[in-house]
Amino acid sequence: MSATSFTGATLDVGSRVGRYFGLVSMVPALFLVLWSAALATSGAWQGPPHPEWIGPRLGSWSIAGVAWLLLASLATGLFLHPLQFAMTQVLEGYWGHSRVARVLLWARIRHHRRRLQATHKAVARLDDRLVDRIDEVIGQIRRSDPDRVAGLSAEEQARVVLHSPEGNGLGGLLAAGEAAHHAGERYPELDRIMPTRLGNALRREEDRAGGQYGIDAMLTAPHFALVAADKHVQYLKDTRQQMDTSVRLCVVSLLGSLEAAACLLTDGWWLLVALVPYALAYLAYRAAVAAADEYTTAVKTVIDLNRFSLYESPERGASPRPAGRTAQQ
């Protein structure tokens, strides 16, 4: 088989596996294969790497070499694709029940519980400081212009202060209080804390989504996917794809970091090269947390817009109705 036809066949296979696979699987797999190729062509497996070798060696690849690169990426993507759920679970913090896992879970959950408790204390402290500062400004206004706050309730007086030039100095406290409150909102209830940021972001909305309608989002999500409008389902798929892509990039970057560490372990300062994919893994993980926020927002939106369709669907069978609520809510 000629090189050209081999390349065409490889690209044809990639085009048939679908848009989801192409983005979520092929792009991270291609990064891992290229990183491995760069390590190999630099001679990192035999001794200290020679970065100047990478360009000439990779640049001299023929069409057949590019085809083999794509085939290796496709094979890597196919191997990693079924592991997507497991990778997400690991990054969420589902680490099993072995002794080592219990120690890690205890340490990480304790860390996040302390962060949440510290956030609650910060919110209370900032609120108290804001109230004290508002009272000081109100006292100044009463001395200089008592008619501005005469006959107003405490809440109305605070609003006057915050919307007047005298309240300009309170902007920092307001912003800090909002930031602390937002940080606390990123967590589920204290007894539901997970050991990772991603786990907490997803569990928070697992516990809250659909609660205002008495709906268990975890139980009814598949039902909503069947009765929701196509554009709503596509919106849900797009946000899930963003999260899956970030998770996959995080995992392959960690694999690349481990691979680099194994190659460069005895090469002195060259070992720091392993920090490059590790930094990418960190960025991808934070992107996964942000994508999880977007995904859970999409889940809540689909529930909001399609709950009546779920109640009225003739095929709902034994699908759950909202607990303690009527379908008219």
Side-chain angles (χ1 to χ4, degrees), residues 27-50:
V27 173
L30 181 61
F31 166 77
L32 183 59
V33 171
L34 285 174
W35 178 256
S36 302
L39 290 174
T41 55
S42 69
W45 288 103
Q46 289 80 31
H50 298 274

Side-chain angles (χ1 to χ4, degrees), residues 50-128:
H50 298 274
E52 67 275 9
W53 294 356
I54 298 176
R57 290 184 176 182
L58 292 182
S60 63
W61 278 8
S62 63
I63 296 177
V66 174
W68 280 112
L69 176 69
L70 294 176
L71 184 61
S73 300
L74 179 61
T76 303
L78 287 171
F79 176 77
L80 293 176
H81 192 70
L83 302 177
Q84 179 65 43
F85 180 73
M87 289 186 287
T88 305
Q89 290 269 287
V90 170
L91 294 186
E92 282 187 70
Y94 293 98
W95 298 336
H97 53 79
S98 66
R99 180 174 297 180
V100 174
R102 291 198 302 270
V103 171
L104 292 175
L105 288 169
W106 173 82
R108 294 305 302 167
I109 290 176
R110 184 185 183 199
H111 167 74
H112 283 288
R113 285 174 63 96
R114 286 181 169 178
R115 284 192 62 180
L116 179 58
Q117 291 165 341
T119 299
H120 289 163
K121 292 179 181 178
V123 170
R125 183 172 63 253
L126 290 168
D127 285 346
D128 289 342

Side-chain angles (χ1 to χ4, degrees), residues 49-258:
H50 298 274
E52 67 275 9
W53 294 356
I54 298 176
R57 290 184 176 182
L58 292 182
S60 63
W61 278 8
S62 63
I63 296 177
V66 174
W68 280 112
L69 176 69
L70 294 176
L71 184 61
S73 300
L74 179 61
T76 303
L78 287 171
F79 176 77
L80 293 176
H81 192 70
L83 302 177
Q84 179 65 43
F85 180 73
M87 289 186 287
T88 305
Q89 290 269 287
V90 170
L91 294 186
E92 282 187 70
Y94 293 98
W95 298 336
H97 53 79
S98 66
R99 180 174 297 180
V100 174
R102 291 198 302 270
V103 171
L104 292 175
L105 288 169
W106 173 82
R108 294 305 302 167
I109 290 176
R110 184 185 183 199
H111 167 74
H112 283 288
R113 285 174 63 96
R114 286 181 169 178
R115 284 192 62 180
L116 179 58
Q117 291 165 341
T119 299
H120 289 163
K121 292 179 181 178
V123 170
R125 183 172 63 253
L126 290 168
D127 285 346
D128 289 342
R129 289 182 60 186
L130 181 62
V131 169
D132 292 341
R133 291 290 305 278
I134 288 176
D135 287 343
E136 291 177 7
V137 175
I138 290 175
Q140 296 172 3
I141 293 176
R142 284 174 177 166
R143 289 191 294 271
S144 60
D145 188 6
D147 293 338
R148 288 177 58 189
V149 293
L152 299 180
S153 64
E155 182 179 348
E156 291 171 335
Q157 290 177 359
R159 189 177 299 112
V160 168
V161 170
L162 294 176
H163 288 81
S164 66
E166 291 89 344
N168 291 345
L170 305 180
L173 280 175
L174 284 170
E178 287 292 330
H181 178 74
H182 179 68
E185 283 293 306
R186 299 185 68 84
Y187 282 99
E189 296 298 326
L190 198 61
D191 61 338
R192 296 275 290 165
I193 293 290
M194 293 289 287
T196 68
R197 291 175 182 266
L198 182 61
N200 285 316
L202 291 172
R203 175 163 284 186
R204 176 196 65 210
E205 298 305 335
E206 287 174 5
D207 294 344
R208 299 178 186 177
Q212 68 271 36
Y213 310 119
I215 294 175
D216 186 336
M218 291 295 293
L219 182 63
T220 57
H223 301 81
F224 278 106
L226 292 175
V227 302
D230 289 343
K231 61 182 180 180
H232 298 167
V233 175
Q234 188 58 51
Y235 169 50
L236 190 62
K237 287 181 178 179
D238 287 344
T239 55
R240 179 56 188 263
Q241 182 174 286
Q242 292 175 17
M243 186 178 74
D244 288 348
T245 303
S246 299
V247 167
R248 190 77 60 90
L249 285 171
C250 177
V251 171
V252 299
S253 297
L254 287 175
L255 292 176
S257 182
L258 291 174

